[in-house]
Amino acid sequence: NLSFIIPSKKSIAFVGASGAGKSTIANLLCLLLKPNKGDINIDKINLQNIDKNSWRNQIGYVSQEMAIFDNTIGYNISLNKNYKSDKKLFLKIKENAKKANIDDFIETLPDGYETRVGESGLRLSGGQKQRLFIARELFREPKLLILDEATSSLDTLSEKAIKKSIDLLKGKITIILIAHRISTIKDSDFIYVIDKGNILEKGSYTNLKNKKDSFFNYLISSQKL
């Protein structure tokens, strides 16, 4: 019994305790799951008439589980071995590294974009790997970026860096945030509070926070958010 609209180029957050159904919503939006009843419409086009591959190619998906390859930073962003000889390609890599707020870090490395990151990115911190992964997803030029608990296992400084990369994207692409941390979702355009598969509350952070008896405040006070 969910009903909601995600406007283009807005940042929408889905919050709630573990098991509330947030990631299920993300899977529905990616058309990995079909609703038991009701419809999903994208730009007024019904789910039944949507080319799934075409739609998924327009989605960037960032979760806690990141695929980082034992190769250079440039390759990990572009997945193209010829990026060094292609000026346009290399410029695109740098542009998306900037959008992901990792360009300054890369520039401090002696080998820059030629730096090898090791197996599973072992030479990078958790926050650096996450931003590298975001840069790769942005390189694909998605119209929709989903961040599914992307900051939940990171330290505060790393989370702030990811938050800055999200802020840089606001108004440029549609962003969906699924998160536990208040700081991650605080500046979202709109928040949906989910519990047991239902939307209990919705509104801006300020409006939800000012309702003293809201479920949103309960999540905050009980440290579930």
Side-chain angles (χ1 to χ4, degrees), residues 15 25 43 71 74 80 108 118 135 142 144 165-166 173 183 199 201 205:
V15 302
I25 289 172
D43 287 343
N71 210 306
N80 189 320
T108 65
L144 169 65
S165 67
I166 295 169
I173 61 174
S183 51
I199 295 173
E201 296 160 352
Y205 173 82

Side-chain angles (χ1 to χ4, degrees), residues 155-169:
D155 58 80
T156 304
L157 284 176
S158 296
E159 189 208 4
K160 283 183 178 178
I162 300 291
K163 173 76 168 51
K164 187 175 179 182
S165 67
I166 295 169
D167 291 341
L168 288 169
L169 296 169

Side-chain angles (χ1 to χ4, degrees), residues 49 57 63 67 89 110 114 164 170-171 180 202:
N49 301 317
N57 284 336
S63 65
L89 186 63
E114 287 297 288
K164 187 175 179 182
K170 284 189 70 175
H180 277 104
K202 57 186 178 180

Side-chain angles (χ1 to χ4, degrees), residues 89-129:
L89 186 63
F90 187 58
L91 183 61
K92 186 178 176 182
I93 290 171
K94 294 182 76 172
E95 285 174 352
N96 286 289
K98 187 173 183 177
K99 289 178 186 176
N101 192 33
I102 195 174
D103 58 320
D104 287 345
F105 162 71
I106 297 170
E107 298 294 348
T108 65
L109 300 171
D111 295 324
Y113 288 84
E114 287 297 288
T115 303
R116 298 191 73 89
V117 299
E119 188 174 349
S120 298
L122 60 86
R123 292 179 185 147
L124 302 174
S125 70
Q128 289 160 356
K129 284 192 283 187

Side-chain angles (χ1 to χ4, degrees), residues 7-225:
S8 176
K9 296 184 180 179
K10 296 291 184 181
S11 57
I12 309 295
F14 290 93
V15 302
S18 295
K22 303 183 299 295
S23 292
T24 301
I25 289 172
N27 287 331
L28 284 165
L29 294 174
C30 294
L31 307 185
L32 295 170
L33 293 175
K34 282 186 177 180
N36 293 329
K37 60 180 179 178
D39 293 314
I40 295 174
N41 295 291
I42 302 167
D43 287 343
K44 298 181 180 179
I45 301 171
N46 188 267
L47 164 66
Q48 306 298 329
N49 301 317
I50 292 169
D51 183 314
K52 290 181 182 179
N53 289 328
S54 174
W55 172 238
R56 289 171 189 156
N57 284 336
Q58 299 179 62
I59 299 173
Y61 199 107
V62 180
S63 65
Q64 294 179 60
E65 298 176 14
M66 300 162 285
I68 303 294
F69 303 104
D70 185 7
N71 210 306
T72 66
I73 286 174
Y75 176 80
N76 268 284
I77 294 175
S78 65
L79 301 183
N80 189 320
K81 293 180 180 178
N82 300 319
Y83 70 89
K84 288 180 287 184
S85 58
D86 188 327
K87 288 184 179 179
K88 274 190 175 181
L89 186 63
F90 187 58
L91 183 61
K92 186 178 176 182
I93 290 171
K94 294 182 76 172
E95 285 174 352
N96 286 289
K98 187 173 183 177
K99 289 178 186 176
N101 192 33
I102 195 174
D103 58 320
D104 287 345
F105 162 71
I106 297 170
E107 298 294 348
T108 65
L109 300 171
D111 295 324
Y113 288 84
E114 287 297 288
T115 303
R116 298 191 73 89
V117 299
E119 188 174 349
S120 298
L122 60 86
R123 292 179 185 147
L124 302 174
S125 70
Q128 289 160 356
K129 284 192 283 187
Q130 196 70 285
R131 281 179 284 157
L132 182 62
F133 194 73
I134 290 173
R136 182 196 300 164
E137 291 301 282
L138 293 177
F139 184 86
R140 295 175 51 241
E141 299 181 354
K143 292 184 178 178
L144 169 65
L145 180 66
I146 300 175
L147 294 110
D148 188 354
E149 302 286 9
T151 63
S152 61
S153 61
L154 301 179
D155 58 80
T156 304
L157 284 176
S158 296
E159 189 208 4
K160 283 183 178 178
I162 300 291
K163 173 76 168 51
K164 187 175 179 182
S165 67
I166 295 169
D167 291 341
L168 288 169
L169 296 169
K170 284 189 70 175
K172 296 175 182 175
I173 61 174
T174 308
I175 302 171
I176 292 176
L177 292 161
I178 295 170
H180 277 104
R181 293 184 179 179
I182 298 171
S183 51
T184 307
I185 56 97
K186 197 172 182 180
D187 296 324
S188 300
D189 293 314
F190 204 79
I191 298 171
Y192 288 102
V193 184
I194 309 294
D195 185 52
K196 297 177 182 176
N198 295 302
I199 295 173
L200 292 190
E201 296 160 352
K202 57 186 178 180
S204 68
Y205 173 82
T206 303
N207 289 340
L208 292 170
K209 186 76 173 64
N210 288 340
K211 292 179 182 177
K212 293 182 180 179
D213 58 346
S214 68
F215 188 72
F216 185 73
N217 272 325
Y218 162 73
L219 292 173
I220 294 172
S221 60
S222 59
Q223 296 186 334
K224 293 182 179 179
L225 184 61

